[in-house]
Amino acid sequence: ITAEANTQALITTAAAHKVYRTQDDWAEQTIQLTVGAGAYVEWLPQDLILFNGGRFRQTVRVELEPSGVWLGWDITRFGRSARGETLTAGQWRSQTEIWQQGTPLWIDRQQLTGGTEVLSSYHGLAGYPVVGTFLLLGREIESDHLNNIRALLDAKRLTPGDIGVTQLGQGLVARYRGPSSQMARQYFSHIWQYLRTDVLSQKAYTPRVWGV
C-alpha cells in the first residue's frame, strides 16, 4: 500500500482473519506500507484467530516519510477460547517495523509456541487468550495527551485484562492482554478516537463494515 504525499486512508478488513490447524506448512502474510510526506494512514484490521495447531507468520513494514503519520493495531486470539480451546500446539510469529529515512522508529518481534509456559506465565499471556498492540508513529504526543488517554481508559473501566499506554519519541504505544478481542478493540478504539480528534484534528467515526 502506498499513500502519496498529503493523502489520507483508513485500511481495514471485513471479518476476522482465521488461521486453521496445519501439519507442517506456515500461513504467511506480508504487509508493506509507504506513507508519503504529510500523508496519514490508519491500518486497522479486525482480529486474527489462530486455531490450535495453526502456524502463522506476519511481517508489517512501514516506510514513513517526514511529516507522514501512521496509526495501526493488531489483535490476536490464541485458540477458539469460546469453545474452551487453548493453544496446546502451533506457532505464531509477528514482526513490525516502522522506518523513517533509514532510521528505525519502532521494531517489535514476537514469538509464541503452543503448549509452553509463556501462555500461563505472568510475564507472558498470564492465562489470557487475547493480546494486542496499538501504535502511532510520526507525531509527538505531549504528556498532557497521554494523561488524558489514561484517565479516559480508567473511566471506561475496561476490565478484566491488563492495559498500558506508553509515550514514544515520535508517537505512542498501547498494549492489551485479556479475555476478549472485542474488549481489545474497544480499548484501542477509545485511544484512536481521542488521537483523531484531539491530536490529529480528524473527525471521529467507526467504519460501518465492522458492524456493532
Side-chain angles (χ1 to χ4, degrees):
I1 299 167
T2 298
E4 296 186 355
N6 302 312
T7 59
Q8 297 183 17
L10 186 156
I11 302 124
T12 186
T13 56
H17 187 177
K18 299 177 182 178
V19 179
Y20 299 99
R21 179 172 57 86
T22 181
Q23 294 296 326
D24 299 305
D25 295 337
W26 286 79
E28 295 191 43
Q29 179 171 264
T30 300
I31 301 145
Q32 296 180 325
L33 302 104
T34 300
V35 181
Y40 172 49
V41 174
E42 297 172 333
W43 169 249
L44 306 176
Q46 298 206 52
D47 53 306
L48 167 79
I49 304 172
L50 181 65
F51 286 37
N52 186 39
R55 296 185 179 188
F56 181 69
R57 182 163 47 218
Q58 175 176 280
T59 301
V60 178
R61 183 180 175 102
V62 181
E63 298 288 347
L64 198 62
E65 295 294 326
S67 71
V69 177
W70 179 80
L71 182 151
W73 71 38
D74 67 79
I75 300 168
T76 304
R77 175 181 291 277
F78 299 105
R80 292 169 292 178
S81 51
R83 298 186 178 186
E85 180 182 273
T86 59
L87 202 70
T88 59
Q91 285 185 285
W92 170 76
R93 295 179 183 176
S94 174
Q95 178 173 313
T96 302
E97 299 186 4
I98 293 87
W99 293 77
Q100 188 174 64
Q101 295 186 310
T103 300
L105 302 182
W106 176 263
I107 295 179
D108 188 25
R109 295 185 177 95
Q110 302 182 64
Q111 177 173 307
L112 181 70
T113 301
T116 57
E117 184 180 354
V118 70
L119 294 166
S120 57
S121 168
Y122 182 78
H123 300 288
L125 270 64
Y128 290 122
V130 177
V131 296
T133 301
F134 176 104
L135 284 166
L136 171 73
L137 273 302
R139 178 68 61 86
E140 292 186 5
I141 304 298
E142 297 178 0
S143 297
D144 287 346
H145 286 308
L146 192 70
N147 293 333
N148 290 341
I149 290 171
R150 288 170 174 165
L152 172 65
L153 297 176
D154 286 343
K156 296 299 181 180
R157 300 178 184 270
L158 295 178
T159 56
D162 299 321
I163 60 177
V165 185
T166 304
Q167 188 177 26
L168 301 176
Q170 292 191 48
L172 173 149
V173 59
R175 303 279 197 181
Y176 170 88
R177 68 177 183 184
S180 167
S181 52
Q182 183 178 14
M183 187 180 295
R185 191 168 73 183
Q186 289 175 354
Y187 162 51
F188 288 163
S189 291
H190 290 310
I191 303 173
W192 168 48
Q193 300 291 24
Y194 177 89
L195 292 172
R196 260 185 166 264
T197 56
D198 290 74
V199 177
L200 302 169
S201 301
Q202 303 285 326
K203 292 182 179 180
Y205 69 95
T206 300
R208 287 178 294 175
V209 70
W210 289 353
V212 178

